[in-house]
Amino acid sequence: MRDKAARTRSELIRSAATVFAEHGYSRAKLSSISADAGVSRGALYFHFPSKEALADAVEAAAAERFAGVTGHEDVNGARDLSRAVRAFADLYRQNVIFRAGVLLSCEKDRKSTVNLIQQWEEYVSTAVAAAERGYPFARSGVAGHASSAIVAMTVGLAFLWHENEQWLAESTVTGVWNLLPPLVGRMG
Amino acid sequence: MRDKAARTRSELIRSAATVFAEHGYSRAKLSSISADAGVSRGALYFHFPSKEALADAVEAAAAERFAGVTGHEDVNGARDLSRAVRAFADLYRQNVIFRAGVLLSCEKDRKSTVNLIQQWEEYVSTAVAAAERGYPFARSGVAGHASSAIVAMTVGLAFLWHENEQWLAESTVTGVWNLLPPLVGRMG
């Protein structure tokens, strides 16, 4: 029975992510989420007392997947960074829970418990700073701009992907990345 | 009287842009738009028979402002491009009509009559191709990636600006731009 409850809960999180990603937080209907998960409204309320609670659960699940990308103990600079950018792009296009988590962190209508965009910014600036320490040729001041460029680029590519999937294709991400200064490493 | 009608019409477009930019297309209320413009519902309907018609008018007005940025007869490559990127950033943060037009072109709930993001993509790739012709040292294949990078960056910066205005500050835009290959020119 406990297994079944856990399974229902995770099905509800996946359905909620799908509906949030498609319609946005405010327009998402709980009835669509329960129907999509194949459970009754009662079962939904048993697990999640409100839409807010569901959104929090989606964000927490997205943050777990994100930690799989970035959660090393140490950030080793350039190599980790180009891997993380690739992983962010792949996760965004392949995983609806991660995608919904990122989109929820940009919603003006609610306060995120976990702000994935902010976590991504922090990860990128830590990794760029580590890369700069190991890269004696860096012009001063480049690191801050490189962090901004990487965050803006990944967020922009993800946003544009909704219009056309080519924006997160491996060749686009690699090509765009390799225009950045060598400081932040190459993608193969 | 004709002047007054034209003034009311343009006030309605500005109010609609403000409300669309703040709440998105689907959640925007015509009653907020008419109240914000200080006109009656009847006057609104006299000018615009539907929310769709208002959104079309906002997009058309945004496209006019955009043409002020990009509407030279010839694109002369690098110099025009860095100027256009700066102008896109300035217009996005300063002009609510332009901002609403860009946001409307990303709405899934309606079909844009004018897709500003697509116009921006076309402008950037034309300008990068012109820059490449005047730049003999360009590695082949860089131009396509440079266009993608520039579009992703500008869209990402605009998107992030909603979280924190620093993302479209002149120093951020210049710093990020100057990380790109010399092919696309420097910003001073």
Side-chain angles (χ1 to χ4, degrees):
Chain A
M1 277 309 281
R2 242 177 111 176
D3 277 7
K4 182 161 185 297
R7 216 159 49 233
T8 303
R9 191 176 187 280
S10 79
E11 270 157 26
L12 281 165
I13 290 175
R14 172 162 295 274
S15 304
T18 308
V19 174
F20 289 146
E22 176 73 22
H23 302 289
Y25 177 71
S26 351
R27 297 200 311 128
K29 291 199 170 63
L30 291 179
S31 54
S32 314
I33 295 170
S34 56
D36 191 71
V39 306
S40 66
R41 281 298 281 274
L44 186 153
Y45 284 122
F46 173 78
H47 288 281
F48 301 102
S50 65
K51 185 151 89 168
E52 186 58 38
L54 253 175
D56 288 347
V58 169
E59 280 192 325
E64 254 176 60
R65 276 150 189 82
F66 183 69
V69 170
T70 57
H72 311 297
E73 278 154 38
D74 290 310
V75 177
N76 290 314
R79 187 181 298 269
D80 279 355
L81 188 53
S82 68
R83 249 201 311 251
V85 166
R86 166 79 47 84
F88 184 100
D90 290 346
L91 208 51
Y92 192 88
R93 66 189 165 83
Q94 289 163 358
N95 190 289
V96 73
I97 293 175
F98 181 71
R99 191 156 67 239
V102 171
L103 293 169
L104 282 168
S105 73
C106 310
E107 285 271 355
K108 284 179 257 165
D109 297 328
R110 59 182 291 277
K111 196 148 174 51
S112 282
T113 46
V114 183
N115 190 317
L116 281 176
I117 295 278
Q118 216 168 293
Q119 287 192 8
W120 179 233
E121 280 176 51
E122 281 159 22
Y123 176 83
V124 169
S125 44
T126 308
V128 169
E132 198 186 28
R133 282 195 297 277
Y135 194 81
F137 309 112
R139 278 177 289 138
S140 96
V142 165
H145 296 313
S147 301
S148 302
I150 292 164
V151 173
M153 233 171 217
T154 43
V155 168
L157 290 170
F159 191 75
L160 289 159
W161 172 86
H162 292 270
E163 293 287 304
N164 180 336
E165 302 196 348
Q166 273 306 309
W167 286 100
L168 283 181
E170 202 177 305
S171 57
T172 311
V173 175
T174 304
V176 163
W177 176 265
N178 285 342
L179 293 176
L180 293 175
L183 160 66
V184 297
R186 301 285 92 182
M187 268 187 195
Chain B
M1 277 309 281
R2 242 175 109 178
D3 278 8
K4 183 164 185 292
R7 216 162 47 235
T8 302
R9 192 177 186 281
S10 80
E11 270 158 26
L12 281 164
I13 290 175
R14 171 162 295 277
S15 304
T18 308
V19 174
F20 289 147
E22 176 73 21
H23 301 289
Y25 177 71
S26 352
R27 297 198 313 126
K29 290 200 171 62
L30 291 179
S31 55
S32 313
I33 295 171
S34 57
D36 191 72
V39 306
S40 67
R41 281 298 280 274
L44 186 153
Y45 285 120
F46 172 77
H47 289 282
F48 301 102
S50 64
K51 186 151 89 168
E52 186 58 37
L54 253 175
D56 287 347
V58 169
E59 281 192 324
E64 256 178 58
R65 277 151 188 82
F66 183 69
V69 170
T70 57
H72 311 296
E73 278 154 39
D74 290 309
V75 178
N76 290 314
R79 188 181 297 270
D80 279 355
L81 189 54
S82 70
R83 248 201 313 251
V85 165
R86 167 76 49 84
F88 184 101
D90 290 346
L91 207 52
Y92 193 88
R93 67 190 164 83
Q94 289 164 358
N95 189 289
V96 72
I97 293 176
F98 182 70
R99 191 158 65 241
V102 171
L103 293 169
L104 281 168
S105 73
C106 310
E107 284 271 357
K108 283 178 257 164
D109 296 328
R110 59 182 290 277
K111 198 151 171 47
S112 282
T113 46
V114 183
N115 190 317
L116 280 175
I117 295 279
Q118 215 169 295
Q119 287 192 10
W120 179 234
E121 280 176 51
E122 281 160 21
Y123 176 83
V124 170
S125 43
T126 308
V128 169
E132 198 186 26
R133 281 195 297 277
Y135 194 82
F137 309 111
R139 276 178 288 140
S140 95
V142 165
H145 297 313
S147 300
S148 302
I150 292 164
V151 173
M153 233 170 216
T154 42
V155 168
L157 290 169
F159 191 77
L160 289 158
W161 172 87
H162 292 270
E163 293 287 303
N164 180 336
E165 301 195 348
Q166 273 307 309
W167 285 101
L168 283 181
E170 202 177 304
S171 58
T172 310
V173 175
T174 305
V176 162
W177 177 265
N178 285 341
L179 292 176
L180 292 174
L183 160 65
V184 296
R186 300 286 91 180
M187 269 188 194

